Amino acid sequence: MSTRAAVAWAGADPYAAALRTGRGPLFLRRTDGWLLPLEVERWCARADPVDRAVLDRCEGAVLDVGCGPGRLVAELAARGRTVLGIDVSEAAVDHTVRTGGQALRRSVFDPLPGEGRWGTVLLMDGNIGIGGDPRALLDRVAGLLRPGGLLIAETAAVDVDERSEVQVVAGAGDGTGSDTLDRGTRFGRSDGGAGDGGGAFPWARLGTPALLRYAGRAGWRAVGQWAAGGRRFVALRTLSPSNSAEPPKRTALISSQRARKPSVDRPVADR
């Protein structure tokens, strides 16, 4: 995520407020006024059966990119897995730590612990859209994973390949206008109003076919795709060692999944 995007998302007060209460409504609003509902209640709940089935596929140490309030990090920690969440929102990181997980306030494009050593990277809940540039995100994730590492991404439930500028907002405005969206939800049109968050930032929405196209061009190998609970997922694997400019960090892994909030430089690596 670019610096502009990270600042905009992190400064989105409606997002922080929604995480504190565990309730919406909360939306990503495109600059043309269309609204994408965000599933705050599900994100703030415990991992559901669909989530847990995804986590069953994880290998090695797990990095949850855009972890939000940390339900997946907490579930993996409870299983005794080595896991770290990252998010640009302080409220999200704090929530994750309170639920028993480890999390850092970082963008995926910032320097991160354990680069080139992660077994699995998660891009759930639409996070394949981070930064608005799927190819750049895939290249970055490839540099985070160990050779042959696994990426599990959640895609839109419709065939879409969309990039836009969005803003986090609370409330749906007048609700006029609609456009069918994945999981049976809908966009509504908003002309602005109370509850605006930070500035606009780039975002992308990808269906499975679009993600597979980007992944193939970027040198990934598709190893699975499935649907469950109205949600869709893709598993991808790196083909060759990372070409990251910096060598993997060689510091030790966290040993406790229930430690207090770590410093921003505390490293993580595989057990």
Side-chain angles (χ1 to χ4, degrees):
M1 183 179 290
S2 67
T3 300
R4 176 168 66 94
V7 169
W9 181 272
D13 289 339
Y15 181 65
L19 294 192
R20 284 193 296 269
T21 64
R23 299 192 303 275
L26 195 69
F27 302 86
L28 289 183
R29 184 175 69 201
R30 290 192 324 215
T31 53
D32 63 2
W34 292 95
L35 295 167
L36 173 65
L38 301 178
E39 298 182 87
V40 176
E41 290 83 359
R42 181 171 66 81
W43 297 349
C44 290
R46 299 183 64 178
D48 63 23
V50 175
D51 294 328
R52 294 195 295 271
V54 170
L55 300 183
D56 288 344
R57 297 172 179 255
C58 290
E59 303 169 356
V62 181
L63 180 67
D64 185 3
V65 173
C67 66
R71 75 187 190 283
L72 305 180
V73 177
E75 172 65 23
L76 285 169
R79 298 182 183 191
R81 298 291 298 273
T82 298
V83 57
L84 178 71
I86 60 168
D87 203 288
V88 297
S89 164
E90 183 175 6
V93 169
D94 288 345
H95 195 288
T96 300
V97 173
R98 286 197 304 272
T99 59
Q102 296 271 26
L104 299 177
R105 188 179 181 186
R106 298 273 181 91
S107 163
V108 66
F109 295 107
D110 290 338
L112 294 172
E115 296 201 15
R117 300 179 65 184
W118 294 97
T120 303
V121 169
L122 297 174
L123 287 169
M124 299 280 280
D125 303 323
N127 285 332
I128 190 64
I130 288 173
D133 186 342
R135 176 60 189 267
L137 182 58
L138 287 170
D139 288 347
R140 174 56 175 152
V141 170
L144 295 172
L145 286 166
R146 66 192 182 192
L150 183 68
L151 166 62
I152 301 178
E154 183 171 353
T155 60
V158 291
D159 186 1
V160 62
D161 184 355
E162 173 187 285
R163 306 187 201 188
S164 57
E165 295 275 318
V166 298
Q167 183 181 23
V168 180
V169 298
D174 60 11
T176 60
S178 63
D179 185 22
T180 301
L181 181 65
D182 49 303
R183 303 202 64 225
T185 58
R186 304 178 77 82
F187 278 124
R189 182 171 294 282
S190 169
D191 296 319
D196 285 4
F201 55 92
W203 196 255
R205 290 179 62 234
L206 300 182
T208 294
L211 176 55
L212 293 176
R213 288 194 298 270
Y214 285 112
R217 294 168 190 158
W220 293 78
R221 177 168 58 95
V223 293
Q225 53 182 292
W226 68 99
R231 298 161 63 190
R232 295 187 180 183
F233 306 90
V234 172
L236 304 167
R237 200 174 290 281
T238 57
L239 294 177
S240 60
S242 167
N243 293 320
S244 175
E246 292 186 5
K249 293 182 173 54
R250 301 173 59 164
T251 44
L253 277 168
I254 51 173
S255 59
S256 171
Q257 297 301 328
R258 297 191 178 274
R260 295 190 177 185
K261 183 176 179 180
S263 72
V264 294
D265 295 314
R266 190 167 183 179
V268 176
D270 199 1
R271 276 180 178 170

